[in-house]
Amino acid sequence: MLPPGSWLGCLGGGQLGRMFVHAAQAMGYKVLVLDPDASGPAAQAADDIVVAAYDDMQAVAAFGKRVAAVTTEFENVPAATLEALAAVIPTRPAAEAVRIAQDRRREKRFFSDHGLPVGPFAVIERAEDLRAAPPTLFPGILKTATLGYDGKGQQRVTSVEQALLAWMSMKQAPCVLEALIPFEREISVLVARGADGNTAVWPVQENQHVGGILDLTIVPARIDGTRLAEAQDLARRLVSALDYVGVLCVEMFVTADGLLLNEIAPRPHNSGHYTIEACVTSQFAQQARILAEAPLGDTSLVQPAVMVNLLGDVWFDAATPMQPAWPEVLALPGAHLHLYGKAEARRARKMGHVTCTGATLDSALATAQRVKQILRIAA
């Protein structure tokens, strides 16, 4: 185990990095962040920052000499950067796992090749791939293979002709065509795996999205016990198949016929922010433990929780900028406010979250709905 006082590295300067910095510092570690933005959320909290592009290999090499181990806070760090760092220090997660998560083609094929449940899909790289797509993929969703998130880079399509037009609008980028899944709920599972192969799984999270962006996370998920156990088992199988070291989020659909994998995020996740207040060990503290090669922490749920995502829309009344009613939110029992330190509020930009805890899930849900009313977030 790295002794407290050691330097840990984080590639990426967003809010996930900020919360990792706080967790690592609470354990006595110092954190060096590499990010192109000197004023980002993680940079504000870090002990030091290297301001550089992720593919600036000279800066990356200098960064690697200053830290004992490195992690990431978003999946679009170039795999080549992770490979270069892995030659000299432990890199959690490894480049290969990140490379798979960065490209939906690799991700879907990995699921399928390892016998993990995944919905019908086709890889689209040429117009002929769309013309050859089976009818069972319509209606479907055409998604760019890389860089899509929060509903970006995807379009619903009902026919080959519509899919061809959508693909042209995406500049003929490599895509995945997925059959539209009639799901009952969207869930996610956070799983941690240490370098020694030990794993720990958090409670299953139920997620509700609006416009492709996470709105609420409800824990424990409101699904039957058999499905809960299956979801956690799938997460364990996946992290083992990847030989993954770090914190991984596995997104799934609950359907009438069972569970289907949707996608993975090789890092802590928006849907796991509730773990800070509601679990014995948060996803960020676990990330720090893994990087320091400390024993994995207890992932048990201490109390039910509902997380409300705060987008930049909360800072506007129609088109007029305004300051949200924080005193009213903070007066609510069990309401925990987290703001990410972003200088400018923009619509659909993640600016913070409120985790609402309670003795029962119903009480946590009631507090979350009150938060949404106060902040004028549509129900």
Side-chain angles (χ1 to χ4, degrees):
M1 174 176 167
L2 294 175
S6 302
W7 281 84
L8 305 179
C10 181
L11 295 168
Q15 62 265 20
L16 296 172
R18 180 189 184 95
M19 287 179 270
F20 165 74
V21 169
H22 288 154
Q25 289 172 340
M27 294 170 61
Y29 294 97
K30 296 179 181 179
V31 182
L32 178 66
V33 166
L34 187 146
D35 191 69
D37 183 0
S39 60
Q44 297 168 24
D47 296 279
D48 201 359
I49 180 169
V50 174
V51 181
Y54 302 116
D55 58 359
D56 181 342
M57 300 312 288
Q58 185 175 352
V60 168
F63 169 81
K65 290 177 180 178
R66 295 181 57 188
V67 298
V70 67
T71 190
T72 66
E73 68 101 37
F74 79 121
E75 60 262 45
N76 289 321
V77 172
T81 298
L82 294 172
E83 287 172 341
L85 287 167
V88 291
I89 54 174
T91 304
R92 317 294 192 208
E96 183 56 27
V98 174
R99 184 182 283 110
I100 290 169
Q102 285 176 341
D103 191 314
R104 286 191 171 94
R105 295 169 296 179
R106 296 191 191 107
E107 186 179 62
K108 295 287 185 186
R109 285 167 172 158
F110 186 90
F111 296 161
S112 181
D113 290 347
H114 287 81
L116 299 166
V118 60
F121 71 94
V123 171
I124 307 300
E125 296 171 336
R126 306 170 303 160
E128 289 74 16
D129 296 331
L130 276 173
R131 295 191 182 100
T136 52
L137 292 182
F138 299 98
I141 305 178
L142 187 67
K143 300 179 179 180
T144 55
T146 61
L147 301 178
Y149 65 97
D150 288 343
K152 298 179 177 67
Q154 55 184 262
Q155 293 187 42
R156 290 195 177 195
V157 292
T158 58
S159 65
V160 171
E161 292 73 24
Q162 192 176 37
L164 284 165
L165 290 173
W167 187 59
M168 294 296 289
S169 74
M170 295 174 178
K171 301 182 180 179
Q172 303 178 47
C175 288
V176 168
L177 176 63
E178 302 174 9
L180 198 61
I181 303 297
F183 59 86
E184 298 171 359
R185 295 187 192 275
E186 294 180 78
I187 61 172
S188 58
V189 181
L190 284 166
V191 56
R193 186 171 182 269
D196 58 3
N198 287 331
T199 60
V201 183
W202 280 268
V204 179
Q205 302 142 192
E206 177 185 342
N207 302 318
Q208 297 180 0
H209 294 78
V210 174
I213 302 176
L214 184 66
D215 179 47
L216 288 181
T217 293
I218 300 165
V219 187
R222 296 169 295 180
I223 59 177
D224 69 64
T226 299
R227 288 281 185 262
L228 292 173
E230 287 175 359
Q232 291 180 317
D233 181 61
L234 268 178
R236 289 189 188 95
R237 287 170 56 194
L238 179 53
V239 80
S240 177
L242 280 168
D243 194 20
Y244 188 89
V245 178
V247 175
L248 179 79
C249 184
V250 188
E251 298 182 46
M252 310 179 195
F253 297 123
V254 180
T255 75
D257 298 321
L259 300 176
L260 293 176
L261 295 181
N262 179 25
E263 59 186 28
I264 57 174
R267 51 169 171 77
H269 193 260
N270 196 177
S271 67
H273 292 344
Y274 77 95
T275 60
I276 296 172
E277 284 84 22
C279 292
V280 176
T281 306
S282 77
Q283 60 175 345
F284 303 104
Q286 199 80 288
Q287 187 181 23
R289 282 171 175 255
I290 291 169
L291 211 57
E293 297 195 23
L296 294 180
D298 182 358
T299 53
S300 299
L301 187 70
V302 176
Q303 54 189 337
V306 179
M307 189 211 70
V308 182
N309 214 11
L310 302 180
L311 304 181
D313 309 65
V314 169
W315 276 256
F316 293 89
D317 182 5
T320 305
M322 58 166 284
Q323 191 60 223
W326 303 130
E328 291 183 54
V329 170
L330 291 169
L332 297 172
H336 308 268
L337 175 65
H338 295 257
L339 296 178
Y340 303 150
K342 297 181 180 180
E344 181 187 2
R346 299 194 298 268
R347 294 190 185 279
R349 188 185 196 191
K350 293 174 183 174
M351 298 293 293
H353 69 270
V354 179
T355 297
C356 303
T357 56
T360 66
L361 184 55
D362 284 344
S363 65
L365 279 164
T367 303
Q369 291 305 322
R370 183 65 187 130
V371 168
K372 295 185 75 170
Q373 290 169 2
I374 292 169
L375 298 179
R376 299 170 299 104
I377 301 171

